[in-house]
Amino acid sequence: MKATHYSVVRKKKVGPKAKIDTKQLSGYQVKPKNSKKYGQVEVNSMTLINPTFIEKVLKKKNQKKLDYYLTYIIQLVDDEEDSDSTNLMIALNDLTHYKSIINHKYRKFLDEKYINLLLKKIDILEHEIKKKLKAIQYQYYESLYYTQEQEEEKGKAR
């Protein structure tokens, strides 16, 4: 079998540059997180126009984000030693922010059934965080009550 080699030759100027106004394109804007050059071309932003491709990209992105929140919240809820409510409040604020992003940014690209399912999953995670917060508050008030009771008992035993 004979190997074939290809070479790409770049001409200086072929014609006038075509400028595309990305603000007028109705698509999903993606910005790469890495600063790699892809074949000597640096990508700053890209607009996806194909609706099926947009849907696949957003579903994959949302699934990764939801898995991240799920593992993080399970770790917070199961951690009995660290009964600090600030981490739970931060996680709850992040979830509500993520929910607003889904409602405002992704709703026009994804179908309603998928969005409702995603919002229900987020509601379940929020419910678990709120339940853990209530348990922490109950433990805090219970400990306050018992310490006040012990102080009153010590005060009466003169």
Side-chain angles (χ1 to χ4, degrees):
M1 227 170 163
K2 194 175 188 184
T4 57
H5 297 281
Y6 297 98
S7 63
V8 177
V9 178
R10 188 175 191 181
K11 296 181 181 179
K12 289 284 184 181
K13 274 194 170 180
V14 178
K17 290 184 180 180
K19 291 188 179 183
I20 299 173
D21 189 13
T22 57
K23 293 179 182 176
Q24 290 181 351
L25 288 177
S26 61
Y28 179 67
Q29 186 99 12
V30 179
K31 293 182 181 179
K33 291 182 180 179
N34 55 6
S35 61
K36 270 197 238 177
K37 290 187 175 182
Y38 297 101
Q40 300 299 324
V41 176
E42 187 175 333
V43 179
N44 293 329
S45 67
M46 181 172 69
T47 304
L48 304 177
I49 299 173
N50 189 352
T52 56
F53 188 64
I54 292 172
E55 186 175 345
K56 287 179 183 179
V57 167
L58 286 179
K59 282 184 179 181
K60 189 175 182 181
K61 182 178 180 177
N62 285 326
Q63 187 61 40
K64 284 181 182 179
K65 190 78 160 179
L66 201 62
D67 288 342
Y68 166 75
Y69 277 127
L70 184 64
T71 55
Y72 180 66
I73 290 170
I74 286 174
Q75 180 186 9
L76 283 177
V77 169
D78 288 344
D79 193 12
E80 294 295 328
E81 295 173 4
D82 186 27
S83 62
D84 187 21
S85 63
T86 57
N87 291 336
L88 291 170
M89 290 300 293
I90 291 171
L92 187 62
N93 288 339
D94 285 345
L95 274 177
T96 55
H97 177 70
Y98 181 56
K99 188 191 271 188
S100 69
I101 288 174
I102 289 171
N103 279 327
H104 293 98
K105 193 174 180 182
Y106 300 153
R107 189 170 289 277
K108 59 183 172 184
F109 299 116
L110 297 172
D111 58 342
E112 198 66 31
K113 184 178 177 183
Y114 180 75
I115 292 213
N116 289 336
L117 181 66
L118 196 59
L119 292 176
K120 284 180 185 177
K121 289 178 182 179
I122 293 172
D123 284 339
I124 291 171
L125 294 175
E126 284 180 339
H127 178 71
E128 288 298 319
I129 291 175
K130 289 176 183 177
K131 197 163 68 170
K132 178 71 175 184
L133 279 171
K134 285 181 182 178
I136 289 173
Q137 287 177 347
Y138 179 74
Q139 288 175 353
Y140 174 73
Y141 289 126
E142 190 176 63
S143 68
L144 274 179
Y145 177 72
Y146 286 127
T147 55
Q148 286 176 352
E149 239 180 42
Q150 290 173 355
E151 288 177 2
E152 288 177 3
E153 289 176 8
K154 288 179 184 177
K156 291 180 181 179
R158 286 188 184 181

